[in-house]
């Protein structure tokens, strides 16, 4: 049994994999990391743990204490030059976020051709995975909600938007929502053009804001519920991890 934990800035997502499929899972706010102990009581005894943590050392320490003496072993995924069929061309491989690295590993397990790996959450990351499993590089931009919040906080007389997407907005709230969403879509679609001519090129889309983007994307894509967890599971199961 493998317990995979994705600890992000706003939420902690976890899943239990029995070697064939995900058999349990859930999520809670990162601020409520202490409640993870209650959840862990339901995990199989001596399950191996693998963690992707971008929420800081306090969260990492809480998860480490949780596993100590309760489960078989625990490993934290950190980006590297190569793992599980993915090779990194990042200038400093270790500086890549663990969540991005896990998503790339998960993507390589799904597709063996060129793809765009998009994680849409607090931030939106758009990473290119070339044929042969080469991570060529990628983008980081504020996520949809963060864009909207930034406008409300830093621009005079603009409200926190509760509008809807429209091609040609005719009120301020719709204009904010549509503008922020168009910025997200534009970044993804422009990056996809770099691989659009590759055979069966796809965009793999994951994260809390993924459905919002998926409703308007004009490129071939596939929604992935557990892409980061899939990458963690693949990493934990790999012989040379």
């Amino acid at each position: 049994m493998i317990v995979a934990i994705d600890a992000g800035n706003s939420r902690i997502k976890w899943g239990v994999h029995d070697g064939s499929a995900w058999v349990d899972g859930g999520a809670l706010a990162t601020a409520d990391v202490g409640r993870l102990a209650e959840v862990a009581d339901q995990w199989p005894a001596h399950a191996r743990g693998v963690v992707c943590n971008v929420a800081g050392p306090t969260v990492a320490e809480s998860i480490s204490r949780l596993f100590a003496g309760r489960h078989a072993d625990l490993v934290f995924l950190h980006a590297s030059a190569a793992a599980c069929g993915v090779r990194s061309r990042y200038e400093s491989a270790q500086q890549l976020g663990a969540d991005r690295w896990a998503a790339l590993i998960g993507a390589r397990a799904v597709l063996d051709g060129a793809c765009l790996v998009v994680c849409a959450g607090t931030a939106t990351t758009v990473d290119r995975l070339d044929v042969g499993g080469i991570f060529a590089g990628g983008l980081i931009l504020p996520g949809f909600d963060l864009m909207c919040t930034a406008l409300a906080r830093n621009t005079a007389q603009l409200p926190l938007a509760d509008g809807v997407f429209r091609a040609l907005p005719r009120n301020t709230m719709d204009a904010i929502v549509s503008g922020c969403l168009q910025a997200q879509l534009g970044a993804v679609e422009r990056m996809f053009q770099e691989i659009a001519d590759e055979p069966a090129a796809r965009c793999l889309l994951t994260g809390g804001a993924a459905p919002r983007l998926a409703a308007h994307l004009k490129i071939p894509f596939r929604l992935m519920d557990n892409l980061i967890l899939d990458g963690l599971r693949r990493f934990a199961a790999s012989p040379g991890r």
Side-chain angles (χ1 to χ4, degrees), residues 122-182:
T122 303
T124 297
T125 59
V126 188
D127 292 324
R128 197 176 97 189
L129 192 60
D130 288 352
V131 174
I134 298 171
F135 165 51
L139 309 176
I140 303 174
L141 60 153
F144 172 81
D145 288 336
L146 192 56
M147 280 188 174
C148 291
T149 301
L151 276 173
R153 287 179 177 173
N154 299 298
T155 306
Q157 299 181 339
L158 286 184
L160 185 59
D162 188 24
V164 298
F165 178 83
R166 299 187 186 279
L168 290 173
R170 296 180 181 177
N171 64 68
T172 300
M173 288 193 289
D174 287 355
I176 293 172
V177 167
S178 302
C180 292
L181 189 51
Q182 290 281 33

Side-chain angles (χ1 to χ4, degrees), residues 33-102:
V33 64
R35 292 180 50 208
L36 197 59
E38 303 170 18
V39 176
D41 286 337
Q42 309 303 315
W43 294 342
H46 307 298
R48 289 182 294 138
V50 58
V51 180
C52 162
N53 176 49
V54 296
T58 300
V59 171
E61 290 169 9
S62 296
I63 294 173
S64 295
R65 286 196 303 270
L66 182 67
F67 265 78
R70 183 181 302 199
H71 301 288
D73 70 333
L74 180 68
V75 60
F76 282 79
L77 173 69
H78 300 286
S80 60
C84 304
V86 180
R87 289 177 292 158
S88 177
R89 285 188 178 167
Y90 225 49
E91 290 181 0
S92 179
Q94 292 75 19
Q95 287 185 354
L96 183 72
D99 50 350
R100 295 170 69 187
W101 190 234

Side-chain angles (χ1 to χ4, degrees), residues 183-205:
Q184 303 282 313
L185 298 170
V188 173
E189 291 172 356
R190 282 175 61 91
M191 282 286 283
F192 187 80
Q193 294 310 307
E194 299 295 325
I195 61 169
D197 294 334
E198 298 281 351
R202 289 288 182 275
C203 170
L204 298 184
L205 184 59

